[in-house]
């Protein structure tokens, strides 16, 4: 928890339990997704590319890159309110050959019921994909 505290903007420390839960979700742990930094308006996460993440062409499979995009979107949306994904539009700009991918999610707009988030996925300094995702606020966190 102390490591997490150092990665999160102090204004979000009251939500550390929710962030801890999101960062330790079974999907994130199994796929090596790690938090780099978090604030109310931006979350950055990374993922090491494993051999099982490659497609038949030897590049990162779209599902592996989308998994990082989707989980980063989930973290920014679920810090202080339970949110479920409504839609996501992703555009792949180039194949990913790197050993590590990094996703940066930015809050674009928030209303009483919806959150709109833009996510940029990069590897080796190159833009791999961009996504716009919308989440529906389903209620306050369990904690």
């Amino acid at each position: 928890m102390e490591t997490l505290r150092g990665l999160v903007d102090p204004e979000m420390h009251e939500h550390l339990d929710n962030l801890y839960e999101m960062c330790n979700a079974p999907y994130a742990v199994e796929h090596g997704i790690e938090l780099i930094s978090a604030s109310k308006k931006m979350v950055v996460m990374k993922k090491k590319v494993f051999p099982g993440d490659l497609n038949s062409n030897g590049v990162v499979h779209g599902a592996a890159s989308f998994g990082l995009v989707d989980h980063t979107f989930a973290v920014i949306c679920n810090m202080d309110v339970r949110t479920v994904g409504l839609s996501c539009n992703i555009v792949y700009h180039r194949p990913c050959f790197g050993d590590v991918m990094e996703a940066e999610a930015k809050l674009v707009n928030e209303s009483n019921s919806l959150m709109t988030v833009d996510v940029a996925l990069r590897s080796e300094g190159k833009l791999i994909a961009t996504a716009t995702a919308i989440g529906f606020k389903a209620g306050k966190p369990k904690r």
Side-chain angles (χ1 to χ4, degrees), residues 23-96:
C23 291
N24 287 287
Y27 183 85
V29 171
E30 184 164 331
H31 293 277
I33 298 173
E34 300 175 23
L35 182 72
I36 302 298
S37 64
S39 69
K40 176 66 178 162
K41 296 192 182 249
M42 187 169 72
V43 168
V44 181
M45 302 190 88
K46 72 176 181 177
K47 176 193 178 341
K48 182 178 183 292
V49 174
F50 299 116
D53 292 329
L54 302 180
N55 66 19
S56 60
N57 293 322
V59 298
V60 175
H61 195 288
S65 56
F66 182 77
L68 175 58
V69 166
D70 185 59
H71 194 72
T72 306
F73 160 65
V75 170
I76 198 168
C77 287
N78 283 278
M79 284 193 282
D80 59 352
V81 63
R82 289 290 179 215
T83 306
V84 295
L86 285 180
S87 69
C88 183
N89 181 45
I90 189 165
V91 176
Y92 294 95
H93 303 286
R94 65 172 40 87
C96 179

Side-chain angles (χ1 to χ4, degrees), residues 119-139:
V119 184
L121 180 72
R122 292 183 173 80
S123 182
E124 297 181 331
K126 295 179 181 174
L127 184 65
I128 303 300
T130 52
T132 298
I134 299 172
F136 175 75
K137 294 179 181 180

Side-chain angles (χ1 to χ4, degrees), residues 1-8:
M1 189 65 93
E2 284 308 308
T3 301
L4 187 61
R5 184 180 300 280
L7 302 174
V8 176

